[in-house]
Amino acid sequence: KRSSGDSPGDGQALRSSGRQINSKRKATDTEEEDDQSEKKYRKCEKAGCSATYPVCFASASDRCAKNGYTSRWYHLSCGEHFCNECFDHYYRSHKDGYETFASWKKVWTSNGKSEPSLKAFMADQQLPFWVQCTKSECRKWRQLTKEIQLTASLAATYRCGMKFNNIKRVAEVTDSWWHSMLILPPLFKESPASPFLAAYYPDCVGMSPSGSSSNVSLTDGFALHPSVPGLCPYFQPFYQPNECGKALCVRPDMMELDELYEFPEFSRDPTMYLALRNLILASWHKNCKEMLTAQKCALHIIVRGLVRVRCVQEMDRVLNFMTRKGLINTGVLAVKQPLLPERYHFKNVIVIGAGASGLAAARQLQNFGTQVVVLEARERIGGRVWDDTSLGVTVGRGAQIVNGCVNNPIALMCEQMGVKMHKLGERCDLFQEGGQVTDPAIDKRMDFHFNAILDVVSEWRKDKSQSQDTPLGEKVQEVKKNFLQESGIQFSDNLEYACGSTLDQVSARSWDHNEFFAQFSGDHTLLTKGYSVLLHKLAEGLDVRTKCPVQAIDYSGDVVKVTSSNGSQWTAQKILVTVPLTLLQKNLIQFTPPLPERKLKAIHSLGAGIIEKIALQFPYRFWDSKIQGADYFGHIPPSPDKRGMFSVFYDMDPQGKQAVLMSVITGDAVPSVGDMEDKEVVEECMKVLRELFKEQEVPEPLHFFVTHWRKDIWSQMSYSFVKTGGSGEAYDILAEDVQGKVFFAGEATNRHFPQTVTGAYLSGVREASKMAAM
């Protein structure tokens, strides 16, 4: 089957006799006949093509028209044509070139989806390569002779010996209309993305079907994750076919909404964009310890023809966009020169708060090339990340666990720093007071019932408006009454831990609002070294002023004025507020003018959850024989009023050398321990441990600590949740900037990933991107 672009057209009839050609030309081109010295020629028929005298690049046939007359020119781009004679050389079965075309076609159709037309063959196999001279004083584009194959190493070292200047054809490529006159999109060979995308048709993801031997083989319709040598297993930047619902993952065969918004010119045919973006993402994940530049990426653009010039030119824009968005060149990367061009820099930014979100934004902005000052009220950085090493191991007084490592920026930073995470096992034995282990079958059954109750709640809320919302605790109890009472086990502990609050405060309609977005998948891990090592690395080289509580922000003028409690003043073009939700609720910072009503309403519709922690160091590991290497064990309280007291115990040295246990206090138990002395809290905890390990001696702890986030003036909370009558939209409203001058970040501004260090970090990256784009 011949595709329309391949028909030899009028060439057939015209070649039969020279006389016919002459007579036909007499009829059409009489004015040229007047000037006998004028060479016979024919224009390119493609409307809008600038080539008045096309030249055949192929020189395949002995009868090639070169720069002379042919009955039809075949247009690939404004500077690239081949003649009807060379078309025939490959297309006609009796000609010498036919075998070459036929065997190419076989490979193409077995690997790819696009039309194996003769134009595609010419673009893929016959066009010459173009390469840029690497001498700094030259940098001109040169055409390689036909037999030279371009490789990344040749592109990195090529030096031309020519004096003359740029060729007109090359100059045209940079014009915007040139791209619209391109017949076929570029398909790269040997792309760094190739091993990541073996399960896709190459031409659907910007790669040439002739340059890859990948057979699209899907086991039962599902592709397994390709193993890319040396790649961190937590790096899965691309969805595999039939995969969905993974955070920070892109479809390699489709543009995302924000990409379409930024690059509308690729909406009709996204191939060139996808080829570049996939190459960039793959290159970054293969080496995330060094800054990725357009120059490094350009070496891997292996495609024939002038379109390579255009791809190298577009690479800059795509790379800048992905850098600004924090998809590459991010994490703890420190850079020597600004990552983004001048137009993205603005004079200065003040960041309020040196927690995960503030440090993330400051690191991004400084890397982009902006001046940043970070003001922190405490004597230390980290905010709700605060690691304690007094017990011989690192114990996070705040966050310490990573929930779902695949594509998690925390896993990226660990990889960049060579920090190992400890994968948490699945096993968690549940002990009742008295020491007996809960039968795993009952545990499973309770789990099933609890999830069934939540499913009923999910059904109930489908048609409920915000005003019909009720507390989750009430709803769970109501549904539970309709279930048979299986046993005295209390359901709600885990959920109170997850929300950081008693369930009578939590919205039944929106308690799991973020689950509607793709969440992080994969292992849950314990950061045995703590989050602090990452945040200190993030802060390296930043201008952080500690003991600087901000009291007032005046954004009524052209610049924003910030006043601290000791009277010091700063001004900036833009400021980023990353203080915990509670401090906004309690008006600890005076805004002039006041924040918009809509934002204030959102601030008060979210709840500030609290969990406290206790850590105990023992003379020896008394739990080992009973727990048998599990990372944690659960405790079932004897009665509902003891709920939330030490429901789970974590072994803080999974390697099994130190004897340190950490437990949590959640829900109603938080205020009850708030008025106790630390010693009393420890005594309560020891009573529980002695009940759980009744059959043995439980030694007194050597050292301990108890956290007091509730009384910590600069946080007064652990993490946010949606209060009854509120909705997940409040997180988005909190994230809105005010007048393009005051910006907001922090876990309580991240609708997709609230309550986590990951969510806080990503909110900082998001705001840095927003500020740089303005």
Side-chain angles (χ1 to χ4, degrees):
K1 173 175 158 292
R2 176 189 292 151
S3 82
S4 55
D6 291 342
S7 71
D10 50 8
Q12 256 356 117
L14 295 178
R15 251 194 333 277
S16 54
S17 91
R19 201 177 65 251
Q20 265 177 296
I21 290 177
N22 289 341
S23 65
K24 177 153 183 180
R25 284 185 72 82
K26 274 210 173 72
T28 54
D29 300 331
T30 42
E31 64 278 5
E32 276 160 35
E33 286 295 310
D34 300 345
D35 180 4
Q36 286 301 315
S37 64
E38 182 81 44
K39 194 170 183 184
K40 301 277 188 295
Y41 78 97
R42 192 183 191 90
K43 279 200 181 90
C44 170
E45 287 163 25
K46 169 93 175 149
C49 177
S50 56
T52 329
Y53 300 97
V55 179
C56 178
F57 65 77
S59 309
S61 157
D62 300 341
R63 300 176 53 212
C64 171
K66 303 203 169 30
N67 60 352
Y69 175 80
T70 183
S71 57
R72 171 167 180 192
W73 286 109
Y74 292 87
H75 171 106
L76 290 182
S77 79
C78 286
E80 293 161 323
H81 300 78
F82 59 97
C83 67
N84 201 50
E85 287 69 22
C86 289
F87 176 98
D88 279 356
H89 175 76
Y90 290 111
Y91 199 79
R92 305 277 163 231
S93 54
H94 61 279
K95 299 274 189 180
D96 295 351
Y98 180 74
E99 275 308 308
T100 315
F101 174 50
S103 59
W104 169 88
K105 196 168 179 174
K106 204 169 155 189
V107 175
W108 191 273
T109 45
S110 71
N111 284 333
K113 264 191 124 165
S114 53
E115 180 74 40
S117 65
L118 194 90
K119 282 188 173 179
F121 165 75
M122 289 298 222
D124 190 67
Q125 297 290 307
Q126 301 302 316
L127 274 173
F129 282 107
W130 287 80
V131 62
Q132 202 170 11
C133 177
T134 54
K135 290 186 293 196
S136 55
E137 69 277 11
C138 178
R139 304 297 290 151
K140 297 280 188 295
W141 283 94
R142 305 299 183 205
Q143 181 179 320
L144 296 178
T145 50
K146 214 170 152 188
E147 58 283 355
I148 298 182
Q149 277 289 332
L150 181 64
T151 60
S153 57
L154 174 61
T157 54
Y158 178 80
R159 297 165 80 85
C160 75
M162 303 184 202
K163 292 280 185 288
F164 62 80
N165 275 334
N166 249 348
I167 302 145
K168 175 173 176 277
R169 284 191 296 158
V170 174
E172 280 187 346
V173 175
T174 57
D175 291 332
S176 55
W177 58 265
W178 188 90
H179 184 228
S180 63
M181 297 294 290
L182 191 62
I183 293 294
L184 296 160
L187 296 171
F188 296 179
K189 296 188 180 181
E190 313 295 329
S191 170
S194 184
F196 290 83
L197 304 177
Y200 284 90
Y201 290 107
D203 41 356
C204 295
V205 291
M207 302 187 306
S208 166
S210 72
S212 58
S213 53
S214 82
N215 299 323
V216 180
S217 58
L218 301 182
T219 35
D220 305 331
F222 274 91
L224 298 167
H225 263 275
S227 63
V228 180
L231 189 76
C232 165
Y234 294 138
F235 291 178
Q236 296 172 20
F238 303 106
Y239 277 123
Q240 294 305 304
N242 300 325
E243 215 187 7
C244 63
K246 268 167 52 174
L248 304 195
C249 219
V250 299
R251 293 237 348 224
D253 55 347
M254 265 174 76
M255 288 175 75
E256 306 269 310
L257 283 176
D258 57 348
E259 295 177 313
L260 285 163
Y261 183 77
E262 191 85 7
F263 300 98
E265 67 273 28
F266 291 114
S267 59
R268 207 171 44 87
D269 183 354
T271 313
M272 182 189 289
Y273 180 84
L274 295 173
L276 292 168
R277 178 253 264 160
N278 295 346
L279 183 156
I280 292 169
L281 264 186
S283 304
W284 166 247
H285 285 95
K286 280 178 160 178
N287 180 10
C288 61
K289 293 179 187 177
E290 283 174 26
M291 173 177 162
L292 187 63
T293 62
Q295 289 72 28
K296 282 183 199 170
C297 291
L299 304 178
H300 295 282
I301 299 176
I302 306 293
V303 66
R304 291 178 179 272
L306 285 165
V307 73
R308 181 166 187 266
V309 180
R310 183 60 174 243
C311 288
V312 169
Q313 181 198 340
E314 295 288 351
M315 175 61 82
D316 261 337
R317 287 175 63 215
V318 181
L319 194 97
N320 286 343
F321 168 74
M322 294 175 73
T323 296
R324 175 170 72 74
K325 283 281 187 181
L327 300 168
I328 58 165
N329 291 333
T330 185
V332 296
L333 198 71
V335 299
K336 299 199 171 41
Q337 70 261 41
L339 287 174
L340 294 181
E342 201 66 52
R343 66 177 181 280
Y344 291 105
H345 310 176
F346 33 93
K347 244 180 38 219
N348 64 336
V349 172
I350 288 171
V351 175
I352 299 169
S357 59
L359 293 174
R363 162 61 49 219
Q364 291 289 99
L365 287 167
Q366 186 160 302
N367 281 358
F368 294 168
T370 293
Q371 262 190 307
V372 188
V373 175
V374 184
L375 305 179
E376 168 56 56
R378 308 174 195 270
E379 298 187 345
R380 58 174 183 83
I381 65 163
R384 286 167 273 176
V385 164
W386 184 16
D387 292 335
D388 185 297
T389 51
S390 66
L391 306 182
V393 292
T394 302
V395 183
R397 287 169 168 268
Q400 194 169 11
I401 285 172
V402 184
N403 294 306
C405 288
V406 171
N407 298 336
N408 196 314
I410 305 302
L412 168 79
M413 292 190 266
C414 287
E415 180 71 11
Q416 288 173 322
M417 290 181 68
V419 169
K420 288 269 180 289
M421 296 188 279
H422 171 74
K423 179 183 167 178
L424 291 170
E426 303 271 309
R427 212 179 92 232
C428 178
D429 290 334
L430 288 180
F431 297 107
Q432 293 165 39
E433 300 207 355
Q436 55 279 51
V437 182
T438 303
D439 177 351
I442 290 189
D443 183 23
K444 264 217 175 74
R445 206 154 64 221
M446 296 311 292
D447 214 31
F448 172 77
H449 278 191
F450 188 41
N451 286 323
I453 288 175
L454 292 177
D455 288 343
V456 174
V457 176
S458 291
E459 271 306 303
W460 163 85
R461 69 182 173 193
K462 277 186 178 159
D463 56 353
K464 298 293 178 283
S465 68
Q466 244 168 286
S467 59
Q468 293 168 296
D469 198 5
T470 59
L472 180 58
E474 262 174 45
K475 204 71 209 162
V476 168
Q477 287 306 327
E478 181 190 317
V479 177
K480 190 175 142 192
K481 277 203 188 86
N482 306 336
F483 267 56
L484 285 172
Q485 289 288 140
E486 269 264 352
S487 78
I489 296 179
Q490 293 302 320
F491 281 129
S492 307
D493 272 22
N494 280 343
L495 214 53
E496 296 191 331
Y497 184 15
C499 297
S501 167
T502 55
L503 300 190
D504 58 0
Q505 310 244 339
V506 177
S507 160
R509 203 172 143 267
S510 303
W511 68 276
D512 60 346
H513 66 96
N514 59 309
E515 295 293 335
F516 294 98
F517 307 106
Q519 296 296 302
F520 290 100
S521 58
D523 299 340
H524 295 292
T525 57
L526 178 75
L527 277 174
T528 37
K529 294 241 180 2
Y531 272 107
S532 294
V533 290
L534 305 179
L535 296 194
H536 277 98
K537 186 74 182 162
L538 214 48
E540 228 172 70
L542 294 177
D543 183 0
V544 182
R545 319 274 173 94
T546 50
K547 296 189 275 201
C548 243
V550 168
Q551 214 171 23
I553 294 170
D554 181 344
Y555 61 99
S556 58
D558 287 343
V559 292
V560 187
K561 287 199 192 86
V562 176
T563 312
S564 76
S565 55
N566 67 6
S568 309
Q569 277 206 334
W570 290 267
T571 57
Q573 282 182 298
K574 301 177 184 352
I575 70 155
L576 176 62
V577 179
T578 74
V579 301
L581 175 68
T582 336
L583 307 194
L584 292 174
Q585 290 175 338
K586 296 190 176 176
N587 295 323
L588 250 69
I589 297 174
Q590 199 60 50
F591 286 91
T592 309
L595 292 176
E597 196 49 49
R598 160 186 168 86
K599 192 181 276 289
L600 292 172
K601 202 175 156 204
I603 287 170
H604 291 285
S605 75
L606 292 179
I610 300 183
I611 62 168
E612 299 292 3
K613 286 181 163 186
I614 179 171
L616 306 161
Q617 181 187 21
F618 294 97
Y620 57 90
R621 299 170 58 89
F622 64 85
W623 57 89
D624 267 352
S625 56
K626 191 164 181 173
I627 305 304
Q628 298 176 339
D631 290 308
Y632 38 79
F633 53 92
H635 152 231
I636 296 160
S639 60
D641 61 313
K642 293 280 190 211
R643 224 175 58 213
M645 284 291 245
F646 323 119
S647 52
V648 62
F649 287 89
Y650 288 86
D651 182 342
M652 294 314 292
D653 186 18
Q655 265 38 71
K657 298 186 185 49
Q658 301 285 332
V660 178
L661 290 177
M662 183 274 287
S663 189
V664 290
I665 301 157
T666 61
D668 275 329
V670 174
S672 67
V673 301
D675 310 320
M676 290 160 66
E677 293 290 319
D678 286 0
K679 272 235 170 39
E680 296 173 83
V681 181
V682 172
E683 277 163 25
E684 286 296 311
C685 190
M686 289 307 295
K687 274 184 206 160
V688 169
L689 282 170
R690 291 196 166 115
E691 276 295 325
L692 301 188
F693 294 89
K694 211 160 190 169
E695 67 290 340
Q696 66 186 81
E697 177 76 25
V698 174
E700 281 294 313
L702 304 171
H703 302 285
F704 61 83
F705 71 73
V706 179
T707 64
H708 298 282
W709 290 104
R710 197 174 70 133
K711 295 178 183 167
D712 180 322
I713 176 172
W714 301 120
S715 59
Q716 304 181 39
M717 68 179 293
S718 299
Y719 38 65
S720 61
F721 63 91
V722 180
K723 283 202 297 210
T724 308
S727 86
E729 199 199 351
Y731 284 94
D732 285 343
I733 298 171
L734 238 85
E736 290 168 358
D737 63 274
V738 180
Q739 295 181 12
K741 291 187 271 195
V742 185
F743 295 76
F744 293 84
E747 62 86 19
T749 70
N750 194 329
R751 186 176 187 171
H752 290 229
F753 316 112
Q755 310 181 324
T756 57
V757 180
T758 297
Y761 172 85
L762 287 171
S763 74
V765 171
R766 174 197 74 214
E767 292 308 300
S769 169
K770 222 183 335 180
M771 290 162 122
M774 279 189 161

